[in-house]
Amino acid sequence: MRIGQAAAAAGTTPRALRLYEARGLLPPPARTHSGQREYGCAEVARVRVIRSLLGLGLTLEDIRRRAHRLDLLVQEQPSASCTGRPGGFSDVVADRHAALDAEITRLTRLRQSLAAAAEGSPCAAGSPTAHSDSVPAPTPER
């Protein structure tokens, strides 16, 4: 099938397929005599797995680091492949989970600083988060 048909079958766009190919997530597809890309059912299944992993919050770089394992995920349930088997995605998932936890902690602190500043708390001005992540207050017009 041509790129548009393959993209539709995988629930994405032709542009996404080209991106996945450029990033090394999809091997270069076979080409017709006129140079058009041709995809099979295996490539469509692989794109579906990529989209599932992206939906879990992994980045293209996370997936690229394990691109050699994607074919195994096509054959298995993605959730079963993330349970700690050697060489699976468990370390990538754990790294992404830790990064999300760190970002949630940072945003929670920022939110608390903003709430304190909105209430006029003197503690807000002295908090490290207020200085590092705050936006300067506008100066009154004269």
Side-chain angles (χ1 to χ4, degrees):
M1 66 186 90
R2 301 274 166 78
I3 193 168
Q5 297 165 318
T12 191
T13 63
R15 184 176 179 185
L17 293 184
R18 288 186 206 98
L19 174 67
Y20 300 159
E21 181 185 341
R23 297 283 177 93
L25 303 178
L26 278 177
R31 300 268 183 165
T32 64
H33 291 295
S34 62
Q36 294 181 328
R37 292 171 169 87
E38 287 213 319
Y39 296 91
C41 292
E43 289 84 7
V44 170
R46 186 176 175 112
V47 171
R48 287 181 181 147
V49 167
I50 292 167
R51 292 186 46 78
S52 293
L53 293 170
L54 289 170
L56 289 173
L58 274 65
T59 65
L60 288 175
E61 179 58 24
D62 293 334
I63 299 168
R64 187 200 59 76
R65 290 187 341 211
R66 291 284 194 259
H68 64 283
R69 306 284 298 174
L70 287 174
D71 289 333
L72 296 175
L73 293 176
V74 169
Q75 299 166 7
E76 302 174 0
Q77 292 290 3
S79 60
S81 301
C82 297
T83 57
R85 286 191 209 137
F89 275 78
S90 61
D91 58 335
V92 176
V93 171
D95 289 348
R96 180 59 45 208
H97 189 261
L100 287 172
D101 283 345
E103 182 67 4
I104 289 168
T105 299
R106 185 189 73 79
L107 290 172
T108 300
R109 287 184 183 141
L110 177 60
R111 185 177 188 276
Q112 291 167 345
S113 295
L114 288 171
E119 293 173 6
S121 169
C123 298
S127 80
T129 307
H131 289 294
S132 62
D133 292 327
S134 67
V135 176
T139 55
E141 292 184 29
R142 295 182 189 208

